[in-house]
Amino acid sequence: MSTPASGRPSYAAVLRVPYARRTFAAALVGRLSYGTVSIAVMLSVTRATGSYAVAGTVMALFGATSVLLSPSRAAFVDRYGPGRALRPMALIYGALLATLSAASWRPGAPAALLGALALAAGAFAPPLGPTMRAVWSGLIDDQRLLQRAFGLDGVVEELLFVSGPLLVGAVVRWAPPAAGVALSALLVVVGTVVFVSSPPVARARPSTVRRTRSPGRPRGARGLAQPVMVAAGVGLGIGALDLLVLAFVEERRYGDDVAAWVLAALSAGSAVGGLLNGAADWRTSARVRLPVLAAALGLTLAVAGLAPGLAVLTSAVACAGLFIAPALTTSYLIADESAPPGFRTRAGAWVNTAVNAGSSAGSAAVGVLLGRLPLGVCFALSGAATLAAAVLAGRPGLVRGARPHRPDPTEEGGEPSADGVLAAAAAEAGDECAGASSACPARPRRRRGRRR
């Protein structure tokens, strides 16, 4: 663990935590694959079959298994440890993507084969994001520093999903789109293998907590209700906004490339909001802030529909982005606090699943509404849906939430849990640098009544 000796913790202090830079960088390499794979698969399948309908179906199959099975894959990580669970997942996932790349390299590939490969690949996508957040929680003792770590993680992840399509765009200038799928396979395999070899991850042992009846559903589900609900509402707003911006641009005949710039403003706003949120010393609890952030996002989305022109719309979309990363980062923090030892990875995965499912539902719903209602009304309805999730999440019972779990480095039978070993690894690193430099992190102190 690492706790800043004095003063206000910074993002630089996060990266000075023992093993943090190596572990985080490896996880980001693997997670970049998720920024490249969707556009790469879409382009390669479209090129191979000549049909947008087939490409859309293949992407739907890939997304369905990737999203719906995410909590179950995270449960394997909690149950068997990151090394034993993530490495085979990444290898199988990478092999299936490589096979899909080979099958779609030239035109004429059978649509059924491409769909089957995408369906299977989605089932094995390794949950690197939830696992990395569980590692942060094991490495960092101070709550303010952990907030910075989650904020940094969320902002960089947002940038990965912006840079991923740009990277694929550069690849397809010199190679077939299927090369982008092959690149995605390479990124996830290399990133995951290096990630699980990092000392705090490699030393983590499987949790010895008894399995629940449902492997994907963590204990403490009452505490997860609020962050999952808000994440679904935020995802719904994001998914709806993508289509709404495209419809706005087409309605006013600005040109298809303009939509990309408007959505880039959304990502930029989200990155700025995430950095500001992570650096702030909040005096209110995360459960109180979360519904407020979601409500602000919903109201901004609704108001964006009143924009008279492109400049105002872009500004409104950027303002909406200011609340996206803070809402999601706060959701992950609450999920982490609510999870008992040995269930952290799947708690984060439930938030991930809620965001992705909400995004898919938002896109589907707005796709139906756009042909039946005025554009401004569609903006208002999408904002109202996010606002409704905020109102439901703000109920007193959910704001109070479940009581945070106290730290316990051992589980049943006296065996160290994955969380306990992560903490022990970080503590050992702190001992190694003791006396070597005044810049070394302070040795951890166990706080009474604190979970970490």
Side-chain angles (χ1 to χ4, degrees):
M1 297 181 187
S2 178
T3 304
S6 62
R8 184 177 181 179
S10 64
Y11 289 112
V14 171
L15 298 178
R16 287 197 297 268
V17 172
Y19 305 124
R21 283 176 297 209
R22 172 183 171 179
T23 308
F24 189 37
L28 291 180
V29 171
R31 290 158 76 179
L32 178 58
S33 171
Y34 298 129
T36 61
V37 69
S38 295
I39 185 66
V41 170
M42 177 71 76
L43 292 174
S44 62
V45 173
T46 302
R47 174 77 65 87
T49 63
S51 170
Y52 288 108
V54 172
T57 302
V58 169
M59 285 305 303
L61 293 173
F62 177 79
T65 52
S66 178
V67 172
L68 297 178
L69 296 180
S70 177
S72 295
R73 294 193 300 271
F76 276 101
V77 176
D78 282 331
R79 181 65 182 169
Y80 298 105
R84 291 179 61 189
L86 289 179
R87 189 179 289 110
M89 280 186 204
L91 293 175
I92 296 172
Y93 177 69
L96 289 168
L97 286 184
T99 305
L100 178 60
S101 172
S104 60
W105 198 273
R106 297 182 182 277
L113 173 62
L114 300 179
L117 289 171
L119 184 73
F124 290 95
L128 294 175
T131 305
M132 184 64 229
R133 281 182 282 270
V135 171
W136 282 128
S137 189
L139 286 175
I140 297 175
D141 178 66
D142 184 80
Q143 183 65 25
R144 294 182 303 163
L145 192 59
L146 183 62
Q147 177 182 311
R148 270 64 168 179
F150 273 48
L152 179 64
D153 189 283
V155 168
V156 176
E157 186 174 54
E158 182 77 32
L159 297 177
L160 291 180
F161 280 94
V162 174
S163 59
L166 297 177
L167 180 58
V168 172
V171 169
V172 299
R173 292 185 61 184
W174 311 103
V181 182
L183 174 63
S184 301
L186 179 65
L187 288 171
V188 76
V189 171
V190 171
T192 303
V193 169
V194 177
F195 174 67
V196 299
S197 67
S198 179
V201 182
R203 297 173 188 172
R205 298 179 187 176
S207 171
T208 56
V209 178
R210 295 174 185 172
R211 282 177 289 183
T212 57
R213 293 182 180 180
S214 174
R217 183 174 183 266
R219 294 188 302 177
R222 182 187 174 204
L224 285 175
Q226 189 197 41
V228 167
M229 187 180 300
V230 168
V234 171
L236 193 151
I238 296 172
L241 187 60
D242 288 346
L243 278 180
L244 291 171
V245 168
L246 183 60
F248 185 97
V249 169
E250 290 183 349
E251 185 180 90
R252 288 161 174 76
R253 300 180 181 178
Y254 286 115
D256 293 341
D257 58 327
V258 174
W261 288 103
V262 177
L263 294 175
L266 179 73
S267 297
S270 180
V272 172
L275 289 173
L276 294 176
N277 176 74
D281 288 325
W282 296 104
R283 296 186 178 183
T284 56
S285 71
R287 287 190 179 274
V288 172
R289 298 197 308 270
L290 185 58
V292 176
L293 291 168
L297 173 62
L299 290 173
T300 308
L301 290 177
V303 172
L306 302 176
L310 183 63
V312 177
L313 176 69
T314 304
S315 300
V317 167
C319 289
L322 290 173
F323 304 105
I324 291 177
L328 295 180
T329 298
T330 306
S331 296
Y332 287 124
L333 279 170
I334 295 173
D336 181 78
E337 291 177 354
S338 303
F343 290 81
R344 281 176 172 162
T345 307
R346 78 193 80 174
W350 273 107
V351 176
N352 264 359
T353 300
V355 175
N356 293 325
S359 180
S360 298
S363 297
V366 167
V368 173
L369 294 176
L370 279 173
R372 295 170 171 79
L373 296 173
L375 184 58
V377 175
C378 293
F379 268 100
L381 290 176
S382 65
T386 302
L387 183 60
V391 171
L392 292 174
R395 290 178 296 172
L398 294 182
V399 170
R400 286 194 298 270
R403 185 178 181 180
H405 293 267
R406 294 189 177 188
D408 185 3
T410 60
E411 301 297 346
E412 296 174 11
E415 292 241 5
S417 69
D419 293 333
V421 174
L422 287 173
E428 180 182 333
D431 290 337
E432 289 174 355
C433 72
S437 170
S438 59
C440 286
R443 296 184 60 177
R445 296 180 181 177
R446 181 68 65 185
R447 288 178 172 79
R448 186 176 182 82
R450 295 286 293 273
R451 180 179 55 77
R452 267 166 282 279

